[in-house]
Amino acid sequence: MTKIAIAIHGGAGTLVKGMMTPEKETEYKQALQFALDAGYEMLENGGSSLDAVEKAVQELENSHLFNAGKGSVFTSTETHEMDASIMDGKSLNAGAVSLITGIKNPVSLARDVMDKTEHVFLAGNGAMEFAKELNYKIENPEYFYDDFRHNQWLEIKDTDSFQLDHSTKKDSKFGTVGAVALDEHGNIAAATSTGGMTNKKYGRVGDSPMIGAGNYANNETCAVSCTGSGEYFIRGVVAYDVACLMEHKGLSLEEATKEVIQKRILKIGGDGGLIAIDTQGNISLEFNTEGMYRGSKNSEGLDSVEIYK
Ligand code: ASP
């Protein structure tokens, strides 16, 4: 059997052991395992890496625990604005959406942009118009309401600050979700989805929907999904930087992800992490924060979900 593999993340941040109750920790691990298994099952049944990353991200978006889809953080106007992207390493096709509201699974809208339009990136009203044309159901704000998220927002709503979901020391709800996968045909793909940052304003968009910054896939090198301080990940063109180090400097997946996350992004002041895979099925789960919700599974017996360093 050809090797198949998948990795997922549910955000990186100040995740310190002992910070969460054992019950909470179990809840997170179960949600991660559920998404990991759902994506892996796609691959086992002959699905493409694109199908697998979309499925895994949908499951993470459906959980209230992660800052994407249902669990998205509040903007400065008490709404939810979500961003997502997906990329196919075989064709280099990509789709992305940003500033969308009411959509249960932003990753699927990004996939539809890729599959059903000539464009790569649709934003705001236009993206919503596209969703309506495709008969997407628009969920009520209640679907996205969560007490914890609301309190997070209430604390800073009258200030100019906006908060990276990962940075909170108080609780354990960290942000952004993503998946990378290798299918039986040797193709890789990446998907990323986020609610962004609490109290964000002015139509702020982070790295998650930006191809090359928060998400990238190319069969020649690797597939990458990032999480962290988006403003820095955009400036570092992080996902593409990993691919470039492999292509132009001949670094391995592990060397390239370490170089970017442990050196380059830190040097410009960014924190966070990424998950990456290559066509050999090598997986890298690299982060420079105290923890990252993550999981990986392959056809050689790997099956793991972890939170802390
Ligand atoms: N990178 C995301 C953003 O800046 C946030 C995150 O990863 O939690 O929107």
Side-chain angles (χ1 to χ4, degrees):
M1 186 182 160
T2 6
K3 189 168 178 179
I4 54 173
I6 184 164
I8 60 168
H9 72 78
T14 41
L15 294 158
V16 189
K17 206 169 172 59
M19 187 180 74
M20 263 186 264
T21 62
E23 293 74 30
K24 243 319 170 248
E25 200 173 306
T26 305
E27 206 189 333
Y28 273 99
K29 285 192 166 168
Q30 281 172 347
L32 287 168
Q33 189 72 53
F34 188 76
L36 190 65
D37 290 346
Y40 189 78
E41 203 182 309
M42 276 278 167
L43 296 171
E44 264 188 323
N45 294 334
S48 68
S49 50
L50 266 181
D51 292 335
V53 294
E54 182 184 2
K55 180 70 184 167
V57 168
Q58 280 176 346
E59 295 302 349
L60 293 164
E61 287 174 339
N62 294 343
S63 164
H64 70 105
L65 295 171
F66 306 103
N67 174 18
K70 186 169 178 55
S72 292
V73 296
F74 282 89
T75 67
S76 63
T77 52
E78 210 176 353
T79 60
H80 302 281
E81 286 176 354
M82 299 171 286
D83 307 327
S85 61
I86 190 164
M87 186 160 183
D88 178 16
K90 183 185 174 200
S91 60
L92 300 188
N93 281 340
V97 289
S98 72
L99 304 171
I100 59 167
T101 54
I103 304 290
K104 186 177 173 197
N105 293 116
V107 70
S108 298
L109 191 59
R111 173 115 192 229
D112 279 330
V113 172
M114 178 176 88
D115 290 343
K116 299 177 180 159
T117 77
E118 295 300 309
H119 307 299
V120 170
F121 202 151
L122 300 182
N125 292 342
M128 291 307 295
E129 203 179 309
F130 175 62
K132 282 173 198 156
E133 268 175 26
L134 296 185
N135 293 321
Y136 269 75
K137 181 174 176 224
I138 307 301
E139 305 288 341
N140 292 323
E142 293 77 62
Y143 173 78
F144 301 93
Y145 184 85
D146 179 90
D147 270 339
F148 172 75
R149 296 272 184 240
H150 198 244
N151 288 335
Q152 244 182 354
W153 173 73
L154 285 175
E155 278 179 27
I156 58 170
K157 81 181 171 78
D158 295 323
T159 71
D160 263 344
S161 68
F162 58 98
Q163 181 175 302
L164 191 64
D165 202 39
H166 332 268
S167 302
T168 174
K169 300 251 184 217
K170 287 192 199 151
D171 198 279
S172 45
K173 286 192 165 191
F174 298 96
T176 298
V177 306
V180 294
L182 165 70
D183 64 30
E184 63 180 21
H185 301 292
N187 296 317
I188 53 177
T192 306
S193 180
T194 190
M197 291 163 88
T198 300
N199 211 34
K200 62 183 181 177
K201 44 185 189 176
Y202 313 126
R204 182 263 183 193
V205 177
D207 60 313
S208 308
M210 293 186 192
I211 302 302
N215 200 64
Y216 186 70
N218 185 340
N219 276 3
E220 298 297 318
T221 49
C222 58
V224 182
S225 170
C226 301
T227 172
S229 44
E231 277 66 12
Y232 296 92
F233 278 65
I234 294 171
R235 284 178 250 182
V237 203
V238 165
Y240 187 60
D241 201 22
V242 172
C244 281
L245 285 169
M246 293 176 73
E247 188 170 351
H248 303 300
K249 268 192 147 181
L251 299 196
S252 68
L253 184 82
E254 203 193 328
E255 288 165 346
T257 55
K258 275 206 161 45
E259 169 71 24
V260 171
I261 293 299
Q262 307 303 349
K263 291 191 188 152
R264 294 185 175 204
I265 194 76
L266 279 177
K267 205 168 155 192
I268 61 169
D271 62 345
L274 57 77
I275 54 171
I277 198 166
D278 64 18
T279 51
Q280 305 307 303
N282 295 308
I283 288 174
S284 174
L285 312 166
E286 198 64 40
F287 52 97
N288 60 33
T289 49
E290 280 145 279
M292 180 167 80
Y293 293 109
R294 61 201 188 276
S296 50
K297 188 165 179 166
N298 70 18
S299 47
E300 291 171 351
L302 170 72
D303 190 357
S304 139
V305 297
E306 284 176 286
I307 300 176
Y308 312 109
K309 235 177 211 154

